[in-house]
Amino acid sequence: MELTEIYDKGEKVLREREIGVLLDGVETEFVVANNRRVLDRYTFRQQCIDGVKPSTNCNVLGLKLSTPVIMSAMTMPIPAIVEEGLMEVAEGLKAAGSLMWTGTPIPEDLREIAATGVPLAANVKPFKDRKKMFHSLHEIQESGVQWVGIEIDSGQGTKVHDRQMAFDCSPLSLSELKEIRKAISLPLIFKGVLSRSDAVKSIDAGADGIVVSNHGAHTLDYLPHPFQVMDEIMEVAKGKIIVIVDGGFRRGSDVVKGLAFGASLVGLGRPILFGLAANGRDGVKDVIEEITAELNRIMSMVGASDPGSVTPDVLIGE
Ligand SMILES: Cc1cc2nc3c(=O)[nH]c(=O)nc-3n(C[C@H](O)[C@H](O)[C@H](O)COP(=O)(O)O)c2cc1C
């Protein structure tokens, strides 16, 4: 299926059900609208004479992927969309050479998901009950995932419209993040960094990578789009830790912009749900493959031979 058809069909299917509300954002919905507005501020500097034949292959923290386009952390509402939804997502992403990332709740069948062979990361929320948080971190680490993620941005839980979704959370301190680092031997990613100071503290705590993210509009209202803070973050993160970005990315053109801002990988949240709702595992595979094909097409026309060589000068800002 083509991308537009998948998005239209997938969103329609989800909106017809109660879970469709999860596509919306917190409180005033500023963040959802601002994500698109900021992505649309940039156009491309076409540099196509003596053009390159690009490859989208990448190697990030030892993981070889066919594309820098990955899934952002999500579990709920995947099992409610289709039965065995998480397995279908795993199979679709594996076929596309991408990475799967689970969120809350931590899937009970994480080991089975890992056994599909899909490159896999799994997140933990900063549960108020820190014993539960450390227990979850250990469980994930033992389940066959490649990376462990901790949501530094869920200290006040999550919210959609006026409804609090996750509330058993509290903000993590730097010393707790250092403790988490000691407990985890796998690559450790902090998700939800949106400032230079949190990037500095993430590096200090020993993170291997950060996700620059406003949690897809599910935490605080009036958070910026990652691009509004990317430069201050890249200033301290470049060459020290890997940077992943998400929030409103929908097409290959958006992904090129993420790479140009310095991200190694770009995450998709809602598009994965649309793919699954529209056409199961094939829908998920098609979302990644279609966006990757768009990315490849643009890379060849802006003179970028691989994801790491998409430089800031390919962008023309407003
Ligand atoms: C339904 C839904 C559930 C989500 N669950 C989680 C989660 O459990 N943990 C997490 O870190 N982020 C979660 N997110 C946020 C995503 O990981 C990601 O940051 C965001 O969706 C990216 O924006 P996009 O949906 O516009 O692509 C969720 C997002 C959605 C839409």
Side-chain angles (χ1 to χ4, degrees):
M1 276 170 89
E2 287 177 359
L3 206 48
T4 307
E5 194 186 350
I6 293 175
Y7 285 174
D8 288 350
K9 183 173 171 196
E11 177 152 14
K12 186 163 176 278
V13 168
L14 294 174
R15 293 270 178 208
E16 280 164 359
R17 302 177 53 184
E18 236 173 78
I19 50 174
V21 75
L22 295 173
L23 302 174
D24 295 337
V26 57
E27 299 168 5
T28 68
E29 303 231 44
F30 167 84
V31 181
V32 172
N34 187 58
N35 279 353
R36 189 66 253 160
R37 241 188 334 257
V38 174
L39 278 156
D40 283 340
R41 275 187 202 154
Y42 302 90
T43 53
F44 295 125
R45 188 181 313 282
Q46 185 163 273
Q47 306 169 115
C48 54
I49 296 179
D50 285 336
V52 291
K53 213 171 178 300
S55 158
T56 59
N57 290 341
C58 45
N59 189 335
V60 181
L61 293 177
L63 274 189
K64 286 193 177 121
L65 303 173
S66 312
T67 174
V69 185
I70 62 167
M71 174 183 180
S72 286
M74 289 182 300
T75 301
M76 184 199 59
I78 292 171
I81 296 174
V82 288
E83 223 183 295
E84 300 292 328
L86 287 164
M87 290 304 274
E88 295 221 15
V89 168
E91 285 158 12
L93 291 168
K94 186 182 175 209
S98 181
L99 171 101
M100 178 169 184
W101 205 316
T102 62
T104 309
I106 298 159
E108 280 171 19
D109 54 351
L110 201 56
R111 280 171 195 271
E112 286 78 36
I113 295 170
T116 63
V118 69
L120 183 62
N123 263 16
V124 177
K125 281 201 163 35
F127 299 125
K128 256 185 206 148
D129 178 349
R130 298 298 204 238
K131 233 172 117 183
K132 175 178 161 190
M133 179 186 76
F134 275 100
H135 178 75
S136 303
L137 285 163
H138 283 295
E139 268 203 343
I140 286 177
Q141 170 145 272
E142 299 310 314
S143 66
V145 304
Q146 275 71 45
W147 300 346
V148 177
I150 177 85
E151 295 169 35
I152 65 153
D153 61 348
S154 297
Q156 291 298 335
T158 55
K159 200 173 173 189
V160 176
H161 295 305
D162 297 329
R163 194 163 124 211
Q164 188 84 25
M165 307 296 289
F167 28 81
D168 56 344
C169 299
S170 69
L172 288 158
S173 67
L174 178 57
S175 67
E176 285 177 311
L177 287 167
K178 287 182 177 172
E179 264 181 69
I180 292 173
R181 171 70 283 180
K182 273 195 210 135
I184 298 298
S185 53
L186 288 173
L188 178 64
I189 316 287
F190 293 178
K191 179 165 184 273
V193 171
L194 278 179
S195 61
R196 180 193 177 95
S197 68
D198 276 355
V200 168
K201 286 176 186 160
S202 300
I203 295 165
D204 187 13
D208 296 288
I210 54 175
V211 186
V212 183
S213 169
N214 56 35
H215 212 107
H218 280 181
T219 53
L220 299 191
D221 209 354
Y222 288 90
L223 287 178
H225 183 268
F227 288 175
Q228 295 174 280
V229 290
M230 254 333 238
D231 289 347
E232 63 179 88
I233 290 173
M234 288 313 298
E235 258 175 44
V236 293
K238 199 172 176 189
K240 294 205 178 103
I241 49 172
I242 64 130
V243 175
I244 301 168
V245 69
D246 76 15
F249 294 79
R250 298 291 177 266
R251 311 289 314 206
S253 48
D254 298 333
V255 175
V256 177
K257 295 174 190 180
L259 300 175
F261 267 95
S264 299
L265 299 171
V266 175
L268 307 176
R270 292 164 181 83
I272 299 295
L273 306 180
F274 296 151
L276 181 68
N279 198 24
R281 91 187 55 156
D282 289 342
V284 172
K285 173 173 171 284
D286 288 349
V287 164
I288 301 290
E289 288 185 346
E290 293 280 325
I291 293 179
T292 303
E294 292 176 350
L295 165 67
N296 193 298
R297 190 166 170 269
I298 299 167
M299 281 168 63
S300 80
M301 295 297 280
V302 297
S305 55
D306 61 85
S309 55
V310 180
T311 47
D313 75 300
V314 310
L315 296 186
I316 302 169
E318 263 175 13

